[in-house]
Amino acid sequence: MKSLFKIASSLLLVLTACCSITSCDDSDKIYVIDGVMHGGGNFEGETVYLVPFFNATNDRVDSAVIHNSRFEFRGKTDKPEVNIIRMRPMIKIFIEELILMREPGHIRTTMAETSVVKGTALNDSIQKWHTYNVETKQRIANLNKELRQARQRRNQPAVDSLVHISDMLLMEFNNKNRSMAQANKDNAFGQFLELYEKK
């Protein structure tokens, strides 16, 4: 009887240890995405979707409801994966969709006219890329505006200069994206950049 009790006790200890190890392993896979909605109560009760950038199927899309200007996604993932936070189409007029990396860790997002992500290594890299992307596109838009004005004035030297500056900026932008894709070629962010380059 004592032997059976010792065996049962030993098995219980082994099972407890296994459960502890499993819990530790699982904790390395947990991600939490905290979201803050710019615009307060305007979006109360709206649904936010976490959509895989690659191979998005209905069963792989997660959703959360905005309450008190906040939302949260929580789950487990075996490897980093590029996702997009989306809302219904009409809201895209006010809130920018956000590309982020669903990876283990605490990820913080702010959904606004220009949305922001931070909190993990790959998401910090995505944010740097996104900031550079937005700033460069704004500079190109400003140059195009100046170019239209120079053409209206029939100022050919100014047109030639602005076209040259715009071409150089676009070349720098493409080279920067290629460089970032190469630096991240072994992760999901690099795969996303390669696809982005082909568009």
Side-chain angles (χ1 to χ4, degrees):
M1 194 71 172
K2 287 182 180 179
S3 297
L4 284 173
F5 180 74
K6 285 181 180 178
I7 291 169
S9 297
S10 299
L11 283 172
L12 185 59
L13 285 171
V14 170
L15 286 171
T16 303
C18 287
C19 288
S20 298
I21 291 168
T22 302
S23 297
C24 290
D25 288 346
D26 284 350
S27 68
D28 293 340
K29 299 178 182 180
I30 291 172
Y31 65 86
V32 177
I33 301 172
D34 279 329
V36 176
M37 288 297 300
H38 183 76
N42 294 331
F43 304 107
E44 182 72 17
E46 290 280 355
T47 302
V48 181
Y49 301 95
L50 183 64
V51 184
F53 189 82
F54 301 104
N55 306 316
T57 55
N58 287 338
D59 61 312
R60 299 186 69 231
V61 175
D62 198 358
S63 64
V65 175
I66 298 166
H67 180 60
N68 292 333
S69 301
R70 303 190 74 91
F71 62 88
E72 181 186 278
F73 295 103
R74 184 183 291 265
K76 295 177 185 176
T77 183
D78 291 320
K79 61 181 180 180
E81 181 183 36
V82 180
N83 276 235
I84 306 173
I85 293 181
R86 287 187 163 153
M87 301 176 72
R88 62 187 174 91
M90 282 300 293
I91 296 177
K92 287 199 287 187
I93 299 170
F94 312 102
I95 302 293
E96 179 187 35
E97 292 184 340
L98 181 63
I99 294 169
L100 57 80
M101 193 69 65
R102 184 167 58 88
E103 64 176 338
H106 188 184
I107 301 160
R108 294 180 296 281
T109 69
T110 302
M111 303 299 293
E113 187 177 352
T114 301
S115 295
V116 176
V117 61
K118 60 183 178 179
T120 62
L122 287 177
N123 279 302
D124 290 346
S125 294
I126 285 177
Q127 185 56 45
K128 285 179 185 175
W129 169 80
H130 179 62
T131 300
Y132 173 75
N133 202 353
V134 169
E135 289 174 352
T136 303
K137 285 181 177 178
Q138 185 58 56
R139 287 172 66 192
I140 291 171
N142 292 340
L143 282 170
N144 287 337
K145 183 179 178 181
E146 290 181 44
L147 186 57
R148 285 193 299 274
Q149 292 170 347
R151 283 177 173 149
Q152 287 171 357
R153 294 193 304 268
R154 300 179 188 279
N155 185 342
Q156 194 57 44
V159 168
D160 293 342
S161 175
L162 288 165
V163 166
H164 176 71
I165 293 169
S166 182
D167 287 347
M168 293 299 292
L169 186 58
L170 192 57
M171 185 184 299
E172 178 190 311
F173 176 71
N174 290 333
N175 287 339
K176 177 83 170 178
N177 278 327
R178 286 191 200 100
S179 175
M180 290 185 77
Q182 181 63 26
N184 291 276
K185 64 182 180 180
D186 296 326
N187 62 50
F189 179 40
Q191 293 167 12
F192 162 75
L193 285 175
E194 281 182 13
L195 188 65
Y196 181 86
E197 276 292 301
K198 292 174 184 176
K199 286 186 176 182

